[in-house]
Amino acid sequence: MTAAEFVVVANRLPVDRVVAPDGEEIWRTSPGGLVAALEPVMKTVDGAWVGWAGQADLELEPFEANGIRLIPIALSEQEVAEYYEGFANDTIWPLYHDVIAPPQFHREWWDAYVAVNRRFAEAAASAVAQNGTVWVHDYQLQLVPEMVRALRPDVTIGYFHHIPFPAHGLYAQLPWRDQVLRGLLGADVIGFQRAQDATYFLAAVRRRLQHPVKGSLVEVPDDDGSRPVLAKAFPISIDTAPYLELIEKPEVRARAVEIRQSLGNPKRILLGVDRLDYTKGIRHRIKAYGELLTEGRLSVEDVTFIQVASPSRERVDAYVHLRDEIELSVSRINGDFDTMVHTAIRYLHQGFPREEMVALYLAADVMLVTALRDGMNLVAKEYIATRADNRGALVLSEFTGAADELRQAVRVNPHDIEGLKDAIMTAVEMEPAEQSRRMRSLRKRVLEHDVKVWSSSFLDALADVRAQRS
């Protein structure tokens, strides 16, 4: 495989391996925000994508799928347990999400994280052309920028952080805090979802490494004296085109009507769409809705709540307990309030194709995005993109990155159950004229600041670095 001018490095490849009943191997485009965000970019450049295929002990040669060159990284069962389920998702994820769940610190997990990051870095360094660009993504690969720079000082390196970055008081708990900062500072441009995340990162760099920081620039010592690193917010977005196309399809619109009818044609449908994760505030949302039913502010005849909770990290203990807790709460509420015709909560622990999700968005009158902490939350933007009639209401946690942009949403502190209940009622009772006023503003923001604008702004920043170097 020839060297690529542009190499993306992410934990996962943008495709999933599916083995058909006849034994034929099929590669299907993966769900998820990162793939949706980067796939359009990859098809317009001479690029390659380095990532794990999603199965342990799977050795694959580089191949092409959906018009993208793919370079698979093999992980053993032990590495999946220690690097991915361990350090990435039981150390970094909870620590960076405000310690909603307690992070676990294990030295063997850190050792596995270092070893796997080095494997990704070596693959990227081998794949990229002379003076090319490497764009590293997310918390699983925070050491890769520094490692790539050591191997290929000729290339321009970007890193984008898709989750929050914590305040220093929390970040300082990490035993390997300085190593991670140095790993990230191997990049020329470091992107965050929110300005606050960039501020926290720069504060950590200043306090821990004592590098000079001026505005969004860090002066990182190197062999030539110092090297400037730009660290700032580049709020990610969605590719709006598929959503705008799907809402015009008669079969998708018919499916939205069918969903309402299957629920007994309630006056209002509330919708939550999340990975099953303790950061998403699903428990708080269900509790608030249950109390509204108990207090008689909502009735099961008038309002139905659909909660899609796609499976996530099912071998991590915290997620197993979360699923049990949520399903018990749903069962109790449905047991108390269901009738023969109406269901209080339609709980769906499964993923759905995009067509079905768009039908759900069209059917829903109120979208509940009440994460306790979230890097961005692209579901909020997906819902807005589908609302061509300017109807519907979005209840949005102030602790999501999307809250910085989507200011016409009904904003809420999800930890405040009474406030959350009031926000839900505000959305349920909102007059059509008010819905339209808010939704027009929200759609303008989402349609004008789509994934192409996001990727262009980041790649332009990298191009500026390259131009200054030459």
Side-chain angles (χ1 to χ4, degrees), residues 29-58:
T29 300
S30 305
L34 178 59
V35 175
L38 288 182
E39 191 177 32
V41 180
M42 293 300 291
K43 291 183 176 179
T44 63
V45 296
D46 170 29
W49 187 306
V50 176
W52 174 45
Q55 293 175 238
D57 300 309
L58 184 63

Side-chain angles (χ1 to χ4, degrees), residues 93-284:
W93 180 269
L95 180 68
Y96 284 28
H97 284 86
D98 292 356
V99 193
I100 294 168
Q104 305 296 315
F105 303 116
H106 298 296
R107 286 169 290 181
E108 62 272 20
W109 289 2
W110 166 251
D111 292 342
Y113 187 79
V114 173
V116 170
N117 270 241
R118 183 169 292 114
R119 194 174 309 152
F120 275 82
E122 288 169 351
S126 298
V128 66
Q130 187 72 21
N131 298 316
T133 298
V134 174
W135 194 1
V136 185
H137 286 269
D138 223 1
Y139 65 101
Q140 301 96 343
L141 303 173
Q142 294 174 101
L143 307 182
V144 169
E146 182 186 34
M147 293 172 171
V148 170
R149 182 162 299 281
L151 294 167
R152 292 292 304 274
D154 58 293
V155 304
T156 306
I157 303 168
Y159 171 89
F160 189 76
H161 197 71
H162 292 257
I163 68 172
F165 195 89
H168 187 261
L170 295 176
Y171 182 74
Q173 295 178 27
L174 184 66
W176 308 279
R177 55 205 180 182
D178 294 354
Q179 294 96 312
V180 168
L181 292 177
R182 292 191 190 99
L184 294 171
L185 288 170
D188 296 292
V189 178
I190 305 172
F192 296 92
Q193 302 280 27
R194 311 182 77 170
Q196 180 186 69
D197 297 324
T199 298
Y200 286 159
F201 170 76
L202 291 167
V205 168
R206 189 186 297 110
R207 292 181 65 171
R208 300 234 48 87
L209 304 181
Q210 283 82 51
H211 293 340
V213 176
K214 186 175 182 180
S216 298
L217 287 174
V218 182
E219 288 296 329
V220 179
D222 69 3
D223 294 340
D224 299 321
S226 68
R227 174 177 58 85
V229 174
L230 176 67
K232 59 174 282 192
F234 295 86
I236 198 169
S237 195
I238 61 170
D239 183 11
T240 57
Y243 295 92
L244 298 178
E245 290 170 11
L246 284 169
I247 61 176
E248 297 301 328
K249 289 191 172 183
E251 61 270 29
V252 174
R253 290 178 170 276
R255 176 60 184 146
V257 172
E258 186 181 309
I259 289 170
R260 291 197 80 96
Q261 291 173 341
S262 71
L263 297 170
N265 281 316
K267 293 179 181 177
R268 293 285 185 271
I269 293 176
L270 313 183
L271 176 63
V273 176
D274 310 88
R275 277 189 315 102
L276 188 64
D277 193 289
Y278 49 76
T279 64
K280 300 297 184 181
I282 301 172
R283 288 175 294 193
H284 299 63

